[in-house]
Amino acid sequence: PADLAHLRAGPPLRGQGRAAAARRLTPADADACMDLCGTLERSWFEPQCLGSGIYYGVYSDGDDGGSLLAMGGTHVAAPEYGVAALGNIATRASQRRKGYGRLVVRALCLALADHGIETIGLNVTADNEAAIGMYKALNFHTAMEFVECDVENRAAAQAGI
């Protein structure tokens, strides 16, 4: 996103009685992240990413300390090149379309911009219309399409490797 003023102003949360805020996640949040990712159809999140990447999340404020409602982080960030790739962006199914994912992505983009990163990319499946709409609202645009697939080395499989 090039329009940082738009991001800093922040889109409003829809359907919420009070404001929520994204906060930086640390290795202490690993269990909450694993719990959220365990509710997803698929996830590539690994807890060690919290120590090596930049991650943000939104917690509920329940009496039990709250549960993690949404999270996201960086697959890679290279300030020396001014580029980063976001990943592991997820919102608990019961909390979708309430603005939590947008809060997380906005916080990530602003944190990366503070580190001098101006080019931020991410991947999203083509059939995830809600996520694509959110990313467009945050000024992301489609740069290219890609195909994700599993590759099997038949020779290695036949050799038992």
Side-chain angles (χ1 to χ4, degrees):
D3 185 0
L4 289 178
H6 172 75
L7 288 177
R8 290 194 194 287
L13 280 174
R14 292 186 307 270
Q16 297 303 305
R18 59 185 155 216
R23 71 166 177 84
R24 181 81 185 255
L25 299 179
T26 70
D29 296 293
D31 289 343
C33 291
M34 291 302 291
D35 177 64
L36 171 54
C37 290
T39 68
L40 305 174
E41 184 176 322
R42 61 183 190 180
S43 172
W44 290 270
F45 174 76
E46 295 289 336
Q48 65 268 19
C49 294
L50 293 169
S52 60
I54 298 172
Y55 274 77
Y56 278 81
V58 175
Y59 277 89
S60 68
D61 58 359
D63 294 334
D64 61 352
S67 62
L68 187 60
L69 305 177
M71 63 174 276
T74 54
H75 281 310
V76 65
E80 63 274 20
Y81 298 107
V83 65
L86 303 185
N88 297 313
I89 300 167
T91 302
R92 197 169 293 279
S94 64
Q95 301 299 316
R96 292 184 182 150
R97 305 198 62 80
K98 296 181 179 179
Y100 297 130
R102 191 180 296 208
L103 280 174
V104 167
V105 174
R106 184 177 75 217
L108 280 166
C109 290
L110 292 173
L112 292 168
D114 287 346
H115 285 92
I117 294 174
E118 297 178 6
T119 302
I120 303 169
L122 55 84
N123 295 334
V124 61
T125 58
D127 63 349
N128 192 342
E129 294 176 13
I132 291 169
M134 175 188 70
Y135 297 134
K136 284 183 178 179
L138 291 168
N139 294 333
F140 281 88
H141 65 275
T142 302
M144 61 184 265
E145 293 184 12
F146 73 99
V147 175
E148 185 177 89
C149 60
D150 294 321
V151 177
E152 178 184 336
N153 183 331
R154 290 183 184 165
Q158 289 173 348
I161 299 174

